[in-house]
């Protein structure tokens, strides 16, 4: 269902003693604005888009039924920030790697660069990449690789085959989710040479291809989360 259709589905009543959302039903929201391809420079279109997203935020925050990643004071993504460093800082996982900002891609920065943009966005793959600035990067020279862990409620799923790493990261992943006020996300752990891990990024609204071969199990767990009245 589109953002526009979903916003028109709910009615929100605010009373002195209680608030009510109709219909009040288990909800999985993926709120993306600008979905209709409207002109971003059209002030009326942007206003209507913001109003629809605001209505969805209020409905998700106020309804009594289970909501995956229930909207809160910080928006639809818990305490996640656009900056991976700030996200790590907000959940006690900051590893000291500072971010570097570029207006343009530095000359000569190619596919082997040690600088990488936030894990959810793009990599520096060519020094001839178009000038889209501003680029935000962190040094990854210490990392031997990445290990994504999908978390649904209190259950963790390995998006790559390595049960040894999952067993060492499961409890830590659930703890991070609690601090970020999320019930569903993929955590990207950067793995060091000694198999210790640092939080590289968080995807609070992951896509199906990111689940690896765990897609069916993750979907089943999400359905269970939505059916849990607690």
């Amino acid at each position: 269902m589109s953002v526009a259709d979903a916003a028109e589905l709910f009615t929100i009543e605010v009373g002195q003693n209680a608030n009510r959302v109709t219909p009040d039903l288990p909800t999985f929201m993926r709120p993306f604005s600008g979905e209709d391809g409207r002109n971003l420079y059209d002030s009326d279109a942007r206003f209507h888009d913001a109003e629809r997203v605001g209505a969805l935020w209020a409905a998700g925050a106020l309804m009594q039924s289970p909501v995956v990643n229930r909207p809160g004071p910080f928006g639809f993504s818990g305490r996640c920030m656009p900056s991976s460093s700030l996200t790590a800082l907000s959940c006690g996982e900051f590893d000291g790697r500072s971010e570097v900002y570029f207006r343009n891609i530095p000359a000569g920065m190619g596919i082997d660069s040690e600088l990488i943009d936030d894990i959810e966005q793009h990599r520096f793959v060519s020094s001839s990449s178009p000038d889209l600035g501003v680029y935000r990067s962190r040094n990854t020279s210490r990392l031997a690789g990445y290990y994504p862990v999908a978390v649904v409620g209190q259950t963790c799923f390995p998006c790559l085959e390595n049960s040894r790493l999952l067993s060492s990261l499961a409890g830590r992943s659930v703890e991070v989710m609690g601090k970020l006020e999320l019930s569903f996300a993929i955590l990207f752990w950067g793995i060091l040479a000694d198999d210790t891990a640092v939080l590289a990024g968080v995807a609070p609204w992951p896509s199906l291809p990111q689940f690896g071969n765990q897609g069916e199990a993750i979907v089943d767990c999400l359905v269970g989360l939505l059916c849990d009245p607690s």
Side-chain angles (χ1 to χ4, degrees), residues 36-138:
D36 299 326
R38 292 167 294 174
N39 190 339
L40 292 178
Y41 297 100
D42 184 333
S43 59
D44 288 338
R46 285 187 283 114
F47 173 79
H48 291 149
D49 202 50
E51 288 294 296
R52 288 165 174 163
V53 172
L56 277 184
W57 178 91
L62 295 174
M63 65 176 57
Q64 299 300 309
S65 298
V67 178
V68 174
N69 288 353
R70 185 182 295 275
F74 298 94
F76 289 93
S77 302
R79 290 180 175 267
C80 287
M81 310 288 183
S83 160
S84 293
S85 289
L86 290 178
T87 296
L89 187 64
S90 69
C91 63
E93 290 286 347
F94 183 62
D95 58 45
R97 288 182 298 148
S98 59
E99 290 182 321
V100 181
Y101 289 78
F102 298 99
R103 176 63 183 87
N104 301 303
I105 297 178
M109 180 173 286
I111 195 167
D112 296 324
S113 169
E114 293 180 348
L115 294 174
I116 179 174
D117 194 28
D118 289 343
I119 196 81
E120 274 293 284
Q121 300 177 30
H122 68 274
R123 294 171 181 264
F124 291 128
V125 295
S126 171
S127 58
S128 61
S129 296
D131 177 15
L132 301 177
V134 171
Y135 299 100
R136 178 175 59 245
S137 304
R138 289 195 293 174

Side-chain angles (χ1 to χ4, degrees), residues 154-172:
Q154 301 291 309
T155 306
C156 296
F157 300 89
C159 298
L160 295 176
E161 294 296 336
N162 191 327
S163 57
R164 178 177 56 83
L165 281 175
L166 179 66
S167 62
S168 65
L169 289 172
R172 190 173 166 191

Side-chain angles (χ1 to χ4, degrees), residues 4 16 24-25 30 58-59 89 114 127 136 138 148 184 194 209 220 222 225:
Q16 290 184 340
D24 192 327
L25 70 168
R30 295 181 68 89
L89 187 64
E114 293 180 348
S127 58
R136 178 175 59 245
R138 289 195 293 174
F184 172 51
D194 60 358
D220 288 344
L222 279 170
L225 190 65

